[in-house]
Amino acid sequence: MGNHLDENASFARPVRLGRSASTALALLACAVSANAQTAAEAINVYTTRERQHIAPLLATFESLTRIKTNVVYLSGDPVARLTADRAAGKVDIFIAAELSHLVAAKSAGLTEAVTNANLTGRVPAKFLDLDGHWLGLTRRVRVVAASRERVSQQAFTYEELADPKWKGKLCMRSGLHPYNVLLTASMIAHKGEPVAEAWLRGLKANLAGKPSGGDRDQILAVVAGRCDIALVNSYYVGGMRAAKDKPETQIAGNAVNVIFPNAGDRGAHVSISGLAMMKGAPGLDSAALLADFLTSEPAQFVYAQDSFEYPVREDVKPSGLVESWGTPKLDAIPLGDLTSLQAKAAQLIGKVGFDAGPGS
Ligand SMILES: [Fe+2]
């Protein structure tokens, strides 16, 4: 299977980053190899990312390589559609908004290993599937969003969110959402199953109400005074603060502090968005070129600007807004060690009846 670029086809040549995303992308033109001419003229990209995050990068890739990207935006569970369309030879690469989509695609037998050392060498090993079937593109950190007005405490651990002192003051989305499942998997990995179960019971008892809505809704609940702290991914706060055309959203984003838990020990929990190559796809050479582009230094920089996530490459800076939160200590546990505990985590969350809410 010729889906792996040779060294000359890489976008990895160092280029100096400009101050703006557009400058960074313009500089990429210097790094394009003539090898792109040997790749297919079009590739089929399936993605669960929102258009605004991925479309500008794909447009740049097209202009640099003259490889057209046919993009299908998926919502909800992507596996059924990926399964049908991959079988028909219509999918070359899958760019996922979150790790659970990649894990599901691999489990369904839709993906194949990326073995190109050029590519995998740029992404830290902890953000690669243990079998090489997916790799991270951005990092997403689960943080405490605390009311600026009512919470003076500046340091938190995930463990202490289960302390009765926060009774009725915690807002969280469904325990069974992949973000909370993976966080629970990390608690199992670090502390063992009995501690993780007791922790879930403590969190549940502290909830201000039955879990509902997404992470953004939890932040809005803090701002509305329904709870004091929420457990959310940090990019939601970034997106709210940057919503210049929505003053109320911006005010809400500014009404919470972003606190990275466990700064004094293992660091804050990290997940990823990422990509996977589709098994046996006709356009794998071009897909590998796209993967190479997305992990290049300039593309990594651009990808993190509007998403307010962290580039998966630790040598590339996040956006200025995100950088203003400081350089957090992050959990170094390999994601493969967490995905293997997801089923156990989901089972524990069900067992404690987390989604039934406090007092149940
Ligand atoms: Fe999200």
Side-chain angles (χ1 to χ4, degrees), residues 140 173 179 233 235-236:
R140 328 178 101 194
R173 76 193 306 167
Y179 299 163
N233 286 354
Y235 56 82
Y236 287 102

Side-chain angles (χ1 to χ4, degrees), residues 1 9 11 24 26 47 56 107 167 178 180 219 232 245-246 293 334:
M1 191 59 59
F11 289 93
T47 185
S107 301
K167 191 169 175 55
N180 288 331
I219 297 166
V232 299
D245 51 339
K246 293 178 188 156
F293 167 74

Side-chain angles (χ1 to χ4, degrees), residues 336-356:
D337 291 354
L338 301 187
T339 54
S340 60
L341 291 168
Q342 274 180 307
K344 174 54 71 183
Q347 188 235 319
L348 280 188
I349 293 160
K351 183 181 172 189
V352 306
F354 189 89
D355 285 357

Side-chain angles (χ1 to χ4, degrees), residues 66-90:
R66 302 194 180 163
I67 297 169
K68 184 169 166 22
T69 57
N70 301 316
V71 190
V72 174
Y73 291 93
L74 304 173
S75 58
D77 177 6
V79 169
R81 179 77 186 275
L82 282 174
T83 302
D85 287 9
R86 188 199 71 86
K90 292 187 201 161

Side-chain angles (χ1 to χ4, degrees), residues 49-50 97-98 140 142 173 177 179 215-216 233 235-236 309:
R49 286 236 71 152
E50 287 173 46
E98 58 173 271
R140 328 178 101 194
R142 204 125 182 90
R173 76 193 306 167
H177 187 275
Y179 299 163
D215 281 0
R216 196 179 282 102
N233 286 354
Y235 56 82
Y236 287 102
E309 296 168 32

Side-chain angles (χ1 to χ4, degrees), residues 80-214:
R81 179 77 186 275
L82 282 174
T83 302
D85 287 9
R86 188 199 71 86
K90 292 187 201 161
V91 196
D92 297 316
I93 186 169
F94 176 41
I95 301 175
E98 58 173 271
L99 178 59
S100 64
H101 299 160
L102 296 168
V103 171
K106 181 192 174 191
S107 301
L110 305 178
T111 57
E112 71 169 58
V114 177
T115 53
N116 179 308
N118 232 347
L119 199 56
T120 54
R122 265 181 269 156
V123 176
K126 60 193 172 209
F127 305 122
L128 301 172
D129 174 40
L130 298 176
D131 303 318
H133 280 241
W134 43 258
L135 60 88
L137 291 175
T138 62
R139 289 174 289 163
R140 328 178 101 194
V141 184
R142 204 125 182 90
V143 300
V144 169
S147 165
R148 253 180 222 268
E149 209 175 78
R150 301 183 301 279
V151 179
S152 56
Q153 188 172 324
Q154 294 297 312
F156 280 84
T157 62
Y158 296 112
E159 288 84 343
E160 78 160 286
L161 298 178
D163 189 302
K165 82 173 181 182
W166 295 109
K167 191 169 175 55
K169 294 185 172 170
L170 173 66
C171 279
M172 282 177 69
R173 76 193 306 167
S174 164
L176 288 168
H177 187 275
Y179 299 163
N180 288 331
V181 172
L182 202 70
L183 175 64
T184 302
S186 81
M187 192 61 77
I188 297 172
H190 288 294
K191 297 291 172 90
E193 207 179 308
V195 172
E197 183 177 335
W199 175 70
L200 287 168
R201 290 189 194 282
L203 288 184
K204 179 188 169 190
N206 285 348
L207 289 173
K210 216 170 153 172
S212 70

